[in-house]
Amino acid sequence: MIQVENLTKAYEKSHKAVDNITFEVNKGEIFGFIGPNGAGKTTTIKMITGILKPDAGNVHICGVDLYHSPIEAKTHFAYVPDSPDIYKSLKGIEYLKFMADIYRVESSERNLCIEKYGKMFELEDALNAPIMSYSHGMQQKIVLMGALIHDPEVLILDEPMVGLDPQSAYNLKQLMRQRCEEGKSVFFSTHVLEVAEKFCNRIAIIKKGNIIAQGTLDALRNGQKSESLEEIFLELTQDE
Amino acid sequence: MNNTMKLLQVYIRSTFGLSVWKYRIHEKKGSKLKTMLYVLLGLCLIPNYYVFCKGIQFVYNITSPINQQSILLSFGIVGIILVLLIFGVMYVFSAFFSADDTELLMSYPVKPRSIVYAKTLNIVLIEYLFVIPLFLPLLIQFGINEQFSLMYIVNGLIIMLLLPVVPVAVCTMISLFFTRVFAGKLNKEKVQTILMCLILVGCLGLNYFISNSAQGSAGINEMEWMQNMVENNLFLAEGASAAYPIGLWATRALLNPATLNGLVNLLLFMGISVLILVCCVEVGSYFFTEAVLSGKGNNKRAKKLSVNDRRSFNRLAKPYLSVFQADLKTILRTPIYAFNTYGIVPILLICGGISMASMQMNFAQLELLYRRFVFSDAALACTGALIGGMAGITATAFSREGTSYWLSQTIPATGRDQLLGKSLSAYLLIGFIAITLSAMILLVGGSLYNIVIVNLLLLLISFPIITGQLLLDLYHPWLSWDDPAKAVKQNINVIIGMLATMVFIMLLCGIFYLLYLKLQWSYLAVLGLIAVICIGCGVLLYQWFCKVYNQRLLH
């Protein structure tokens, strides 16, 4: 569903933020992307979502080249950034309408979406209020609802659990699992290693712009004495 | 005071981007090109500035023979104060209630008074960007023509530095008072809108009062009025300053800089300015603390979704219409945006009305003026397009998105959708201007033909202006603002957009002058050529926009 090939980005000539990384997210897979601060996670996500142009490499979403057919590729995924910055003057319902119109969601599906996700994220009663009056967590939820409204095949999430209350975080994790069962994919970055360990089918660890390990948790354990993802992560990311 | 200065230092660094500039120059991140751009922009402003200075000289020349040249100073001072009052209130409101740092600062061990002082003084510093370029040439021209002594220079500089203090302090106190009074009853956007309307009405009333006062008091006949002018070289200045006596003290201090009278007036001006600042900040601090601590900003419970809300939600709209709706709602619900864009039409209408009333003009005289020139329609269309271009709606279309710009980058919208969607807000303003112009044409006896010509020309001239400004903002959107006022007030794209608008319209006027007045082409042929030029430029800019959009947002 997501194919990343030799992706490279350098903000300065001497320093590559992302250096020739390659990975793939398969159908029905939850893919975790972890790494220390400044390792290149957000830069990678920005290149996968078309926010940043890479210096080299390709990204295919559902077989569509993101840089060759961006509009078509963008209809296949939804992105939720780490900070829920959206049009704060709009009401929740207006933002959802905006997203539904842009992604050409049929009228019949829109109400179902409000019913389902509004209930799931306990946001039904706040949809008629301006987003600027929402708490951080509520803003995160409305961005999630906007991302889910067109039922994308690929969900790309940057630190999605930040700001969510325990119930909503649990619901989101269930939703991620459910989507995978339906054959859709989820790519997400996180610092919460327990979540990655528990929910991801495969994990990639990025450090200083390079993917230093990727695979299933069992594959990552190979050759390492450690047992938990936390210990593997700390061992791999420790500076020599 | 220590905390105030520390805060002020941070604000100055943040507002003027000093730290960022220093970092960029140090890191050599494209700073040279940007610096060159700013220098170029400065150079482009020189011709406009020259015209402004010539205008000052002209006013001096016509008031000097009647010994009333002091009105130049008092009108200048009062005019600057009025503009600061009108535009300052939005800025003050944004700085206190829309800025990200307000609540955070309240958690620090800093007295609210220090916060209010630092924010107020920072706004005063920002207003220097407006006050100095306007007041300095006035000061220099007057000095050259009168007496350019050391005391005159000292007095002039002190007055210039203290000029924005009173309006900004008053705006601060009024904004904070209103916010406190309406806390919990109305949201801050509504408070801001009400306040803005009140300030606007107040300023326009003041303007009317000043215009009338400067022309002479009621009940005084023409002979008495002339006699007063001959006897008192401050007669007109006193009239102009009637509503703002502090301005008269400043004028007197500049007229007699080396005398005791001048010194007393200067001290009065300085003392009262500082006193008003202290009083307003002290009172404002109380309201500020109460307003912020009350926490009653936007926490009203939302109404449940009605059947109509759901029906509207379910209605599928074209992507460009969705972009337009989101853009328009953002503009209308953010008072600083609404005021800077659509607010311009009622202001100009009221100002026009006041000017007509104070000049005692009627529609018959306007009709004569309208019919006197064959090219009145073209001139009206150019004026309308100039007003629309000066509002700079599309010059900040992407910048206004700020940190939510990622949405524009990730949604599957084409360049055409974005261009149409984001331009429609600007065309809406052009629509308001068109309605106003049509009404004016009808009032002065114009025909349907005139209305069609004016509106068609207005639309065609606006096409490249609107598209060009959007392209400009796409090239270099300013997204890192922390206060919506900065997105429109401190955005270089607005200035470049305004300049480009002026240059484009001047070019069109030049073509008209050359072909119609000099080479004597037929009127309609010249208009036809102008239409072709506008369409050509607009289409080129449209294609350019789509190309840049594809490169930047769609890669």
Side-chain angles (χ1 to χ4, degrees):
Chain A
M1 301 289 259
I2 305 178
Q3 283 170 295
V4 172
E5 292 162 26
N6 311 111
L7 213 56
T8 301
K9 180 77 190 175
Y11 292 114
E12 293 160 43
K13 278 180 188 167
S14 55
H15 173 68
K16 285 178 179 166
V18 171
D19 189 5
N20 198 31
I21 63 169
T22 298
F23 62 86
E24 201 172 341
V25 180
N26 301 314
K27 203 172 178 184
E29 194 171 65
I30 301 182
F31 191 92
F33 197 51
I34 58 178
N37 291 334
K41 293 190 298 294
T42 300
T43 302
T44 306
I45 291 176
K46 282 184 173 174
M47 286 191 284
I48 297 175
T49 51
I51 295 174
L52 264 182
K53 192 177 181 178
D55 297 331
N58 283 310
V59 175
H60 286 83
I61 311 274
C62 298
V64 183
D65 189 331
L66 179 66
Y67 306 121
H68 191 259
S69 310
I71 299 283
E72 195 194 337
K74 285 178 179 185
T75 57
H76 291 296
F77 73 83
Y79 166 57
V80 177
D82 54 347
S83 174
D85 296 314
I86 45 173
Y87 307 140
K88 296 213 163 70
S89 309
L90 298 189
K91 293 176 180 175
I93 190 78
E94 290 168 345
Y95 171 69
L96 293 180
K97 177 171 165 47
F98 170 76
M99 293 300 274
D101 286 338
I102 291 289
Y103 286 94
R104 318 302 297 151
V105 179
E106 289 302 324
S107 304
S108 53
E109 294 165 31
R110 295 183 180 203
N111 258 336
L112 291 174
C113 170
I114 294 195
E115 300 296 335
K116 183 179 171 187
Y117 299 120
K119 205 164 277 174
M120 177 184 282
F121 295 118
E122 294 170 335
L123 217 57
E124 291 160 302
D125 294 337
L127 287 176
N128 219 2
I131 294 170
M132 66 173 72
S133 68
Y134 289 12
S135 67
H136 181 88
M138 286 163 82
Q139 290 186 11
Q140 184 78 358
K141 289 175 189 175
I142 198 79
V143 179
L144 273 165
M145 280 181 76
L148 292 164
I149 203 161
H150 69 285
D151 195 19
E153 288 152 273
V154 178
L155 203 51
I156 300 170
L157 312 164
D158 195 358
E159 295 284 351
M161 308 299 170
V162 176
L164 291 186
D165 55 70
Q167 180 66 55
S168 301
Y170 173 79
N171 289 343
L172 177 62
K173 285 182 268 186
Q174 295 307 313
L175 181 79
M176 282 158 65
R177 200 167 260 170
Q178 188 195 326
R179 295 183 70 79
C180 291
E181 282 162 13
E182 290 168 5
K184 289 158 188 158
S185 308
V186 178
F187 173 95
F188 79 104
S189 78
T190 184
H191 282 299
V192 189
L193 299 180
E194 288 82 4
V195 174
E197 188 169 10
K198 206 171 165 188
F199 282 90
C200 296
N201 303 101
R202 285 195 307 129
I203 292 163
I205 300 175
I206 185 168
K207 182 190 172 189
K208 290 182 180 169
N210 294 291
I211 290 188
I212 50 171
Q214 67 170 308
T216 60
L217 194 60
D218 284 338
L220 292 181
R221 278 188 189 125
N222 263 349
Q224 304 288 336
K225 295 171 207 162
S226 328
E227 285 294 311
S228 71
L229 179 62
E230 190 178 24
E231 284 168 311
I232 298 169
F233 178 82
L234 291 174
E235 261 179 49
L236 287 170
T237 56
Q238 225 167 33
D239 282 318
E240 293 83 27
Chain B
M1 208 60 197
N2 201 11
N3 278 335
T4 306
M5 294 322 286
K6 281 178 189 163
L7 269 176
L8 184 61
Q9 215 173 2
V10 173
Y11 281 139
I12 292 170
R13 284 187 168 276
S14 155
T15 308
F16 297 98
L18 298 181
S19 301
V20 176
W21 270 71
K22 209 171 160 184
Y23 168 78
R24 284 195 178 146
I25 286 167
H26 188 249
E27 298 288 318
K28 292 177 184 164
K29 282 185 171 174
S31 57
K32 275 185 189 162
L33 185 75
K34 221 171 191 180
T35 313
M36 291 263 287
L37 193 74
Y38 283 116
V39 171
L40 199 70
L41 187 71
L43 291 175
C44 288
L45 284 170
I46 290 174
N48 294 321
Y49 210 57
Y50 177 75
V51 173
F52 174 64
C53 294
K54 279 278 166 199
I56 294 173
Q57 181 64 44
F58 174 74
V59 176
Y60 182 87
N61 289 344
I62 56 166
T63 50
S64 175
I66 53 169
N67 200 26
Q68 292 297 322
Q69 58 272 43
S70 58
I71 196 166
L72 189 68
L73 289 173
S74 34
F75 252 140
I77 291 168
V78 174
I80 289 171
I81 299 294
L82 277 179
V83 176
L84 288 182
L85 276 173
I86 293 174
F87 290 95
V89 72
M90 302 299 280
Y91 210 90
V92 167
F93 205 97
S94 273
F96 280 98
F97 295 104
S98 304
D100 295 338
D101 65 340
T102 308
E103 286 180 9
L104 188 67
L105 284 173
M106 290 300 279
S107 71
Y108 293 164
V110 179
K111 283 181 184 165
R113 185 194 292 126
S114 299
I115 301 172
V116 178
Y117 263 117
K119 281 185 182 272
T120 308
L121 291 175
N122 185 44
I123 298 165
V124 167
L125 287 176
I126 294 167
E127 298 298 6
Y128 286 145
L129 294 176
F130 168 77
V131 172
I132 294 173
L134 286 183
F135 194 63
L136 199 60
L138 212 133
L139 216 54
I140 294 171
Q141 286 276 3
F142 196 82
I144 290 170
N145 289 302
E146 296 283 311
Q147 75 272 43
F148 222 153
S149 63
L150 180 68
M151 281 310 289
Y152 175 82
I153 295 171
V154 172
N155 286 8
L157 287 177
I158 292 172
I159 287 165
M160 188 166 69
L161 291 178
L162 286 175
L163 210 51
V165 168
V166 173
V168 170
V170 170
C171 282
T172 301
M173 194 191 67
I174 296 174
S175 312
L176 297 175
F177 169 73
F178 266 75
T179 312
R180 175 65 195 110
V181 167
F182 290 108
K185 295 175 191 125
L186 293 173
N187 68 28
K188 53 190 178 189
E189 281 69 33
K190 281 185 186 147
V191 176
Q192 206 172 346
T193 310
I194 293 171
L195 184 60
M196 196 56 242
C197 293
L198 287 176
I199 291 268
L200 201 61
V201 170
C203 286
L204 291 170
L206 209 66
N207 183 20
Y208 183 69
F209 177 70
I210 290 165
S211 307
N212 277 350
S213 304
Q215 285 187 23
S217 320
I220 294 181
N221 63 38
E222 207 168 313
M223 281 304 291
E224 274 179 285
W225 196 68
M226 290 298 284
Q227 197 179 346
N228 280 335
M229 280 224 292
V230 174
E231 285 171 1
N232 180 6
N233 68 340
L234 276 166
F235 177 64
L236 285 181
E238 280 167 0
S241 304
Y244 189 69
I246 306 172
L248 190 61
W249 297 329
T251 308
R252 282 185 182 144
L254 286 170
L255 276 178
N256 314 297
T259 63
L260 185 65
N261 182 24
L263 183 69
V264 169
N265 277 293
L266 181 72
L267 289 175
L268 264 173
F269 174 78
M270 287 167 66
I272 295 295
S273 296
V274 173
L275 190 70
I276 290 176
L277 172 75
V278 172
C279 289
C280 287
V281 171
E282 290 297 329
V283 178
S285 302
Y286 169 73
F287 295 132
F288 173 68
T289 318
E290 291 286 306
V292 176
L293 293 183
S294 74
K296 291 174 181 170
N298 284 302
N299 297 331
K300 282 197 164 183
R301 279 192 78 84
K303 285 181 198 159
K304 286 221 165 208
L305 290 177
S306 65
V307 178
N308 277 344
D309 291 329
R310 283 182 184 266
R311 202 174 292 149
S312 153
F313 173 69
N314 284 334
R315 211 172 292 136
L316 184 65
K318 298 247 183 234
Y320 75 86
L321 278 178
S322 268
V323 173
F324 164 58
Q325 282 168 1
D327 190 38
L328 185 67
K329 280 172 185 162
T330 304
I331 291 175
L332 294 179
R333 289 174 189 171
T334 314
I336 185 84
Y337 296 161
F339 180 72
N340 269 283
T341 52
Y342 301 117
I344 202 162
V345 177
I347 292 175
L348 284 174
L349 275 175
I350 298 168
C351 284
I354 288 177
S355 302
M356 266 181 72
S358 45
M359 287 162 77
Q360 290 167 347
M361 278 178 94
N362 54 34
F363 285 112
Q365 286 167 301
L366 277 181
E367 188 176 346
L368 271 178
L369 197 69
Y370 175 71
R371 294 205 181 282
R372 193 172 156 194
F373 304 104
V374 186
F375 51 82
S376 294
D377 289 340
L380 277 177
C382 280
T383 310
L386 186 71
I387 294 167
M390 289 303 181
I393 297 183
T394 45
T396 55
F398 290 105
S399 296
R400 285 194 303 266
E401 292 188 4
T403 47
S404 60
Y405 186 55
W406 66 270
L407 267 168
S408 283
Q409 291 174 298
T410 55
I411 56 173
T414 60
R416 182 181 158 276
D417 287 333
Q418 287 278 11
L419 188 136
L420 266 175
K422 293 206 184 291
S423 301
L424 280 175
S425 309
Y427 285 113
L428 190 66
L429 175 65
I430 297 298
F432 290 141
I433 295 171
I435 293 169
T436 311
L437 289 179
S438 304
M440 276 172 62
I441 292 168
L442 284 178
L443 284 172
V444 296
S447 65
L448 190 65
Y449 169 79
N450 298 112
I451 291 174
V452 170
I453 290 281
V454 168
N455 288 333
L456 200 64
L457 263 181
L458 171 65
L459 189 68
L460 290 175
I461 298 171
S462 301
F463 173 39
I465 292 173
I466 289 170
T467 315
Q469 290 191 354
L470 191 64
L471 173 68
L472 182 73
D473 198 42
L474 177 68
Y475 256 116
H476 188 251
W478 186 37
L479 308 167
S480 57
W481 44 265
D482 55 357
D483 165 5
K486 290 183 184 171
V488 288
K489 287 269 197 178
Q490 287 175 26
N491 195 336
I492 194 85
N493 294 345
V494 178
I495 300 167
I496 299 176
M498 283 177 170
L499 265 174
T501 303
M502 279 194 274
V503 169
F504 182 68
I505 290 178
M506 273 161 68
L507 271 175
L508 293 182
C509 291
I511 290 168
F512 188 90
Y513 175 79
L514 184 75
L515 298 181
Y516 180 69
L517 293 174
K518 287 276 168 192
L519 300 177
Q520 303 202 324
W521 281 29
S522 90
Y523 180 59
L524 283 179
V526 180
L527 292 192
L529 183 73
I530 285 176
V532 170
I533 291 171
C534 291
I535 294 170
C537 291
V539 170
L540 276 177
L541 287 166
Y542 167 78
Q543 286 172 341
W544 191 358
F545 176 89
C546 289
K547 194 179 160 197
V548 176
Y549 182 84
N550 289 343
Q551 282 169 354
R552 297 199 167 207
L553 277 86
L554 300 178
H555 309 307

